[in-house]
Amino acid sequence: MVPKVLVVEDNELNLKLFCDLLRAHGYSAEPVRDGRDAVARARDFRPDLIVMDVQMPHVTGYDILLELKADPELRTIPVMAVTAYAGRDDEDRLRGAGAKAYVSKPISLHRFMSEVKALA
């Protein structure tokens, strides 16, 4: 069975990069461009992993993470936070909210895929 990854990213280039990279490594990747759609798409798609940008318009990845972890049907799905604003406090806050991994942008393709393989 092919592992499914929901990719929540507002930047089109990053979204394409993440999805193409995942697909090249044998994953099914479902793109979500607007963070406001992330929780509903997670319910429909039932991913094995959620890769999520932290800084998005309208809603932050942190807020989405809190919503996912509060939902009994979705709370067990691991979340990998991806952000260009990589401060130690940010990582601690996201991990405290339930993120299982934290990758800073610009991403290392090797590190990105290592984290995905560890979680999905």
Side-chain angles (χ1 to χ4, degrees), residues 22 25 27 49 110-120:
L22 289 162
H25 283 87
Y27 294 84
L49 171 65
H110 177 71
R111 171 129 192 266
F112 179 86
M113 287 312 304
S114 292
E115 293 290 351
V116 167
K117 290 174 185 173
L119 296 171

Side-chain angles (χ1 to χ4, degrees), residues 9-75:
E9 170 65 67
D10 65 302
N11 179 289
E12 282 294 323
L13 291 175
N14 286 338
L15 184 64
K16 181 173 177 12
L17 170 67
F18 297 158
C19 288
D20 288 350
L21 185 60
L22 289 162
R23 290 175 184 136
H25 283 87
Y27 294 84
S28 172
E30 176 74 10
V32 176
R33 288 167 184 79
D34 189 329
R36 295 174 292 188
D37 300 329
V39 174
R41 292 288 284 282
R43 281 192 191 102
D44 292 340
F45 186 60
R46 295 293 181 185
D48 299 297
L49 171 65
I50 298 172
V51 172
M52 184 166 48
D53 185 19
V54 175
Q55 296 297 124
M56 293 181 286
H58 311 296
V59 62
T60 68
Y62 179 78
D63 292 332
I64 297 167
L65 181 58
L66 293 177
E67 192 174 345
L68 289 166
K69 295 306 175 184
D71 188 312
E73 294 179 30
L74 304 175
R75 71 171 42 129

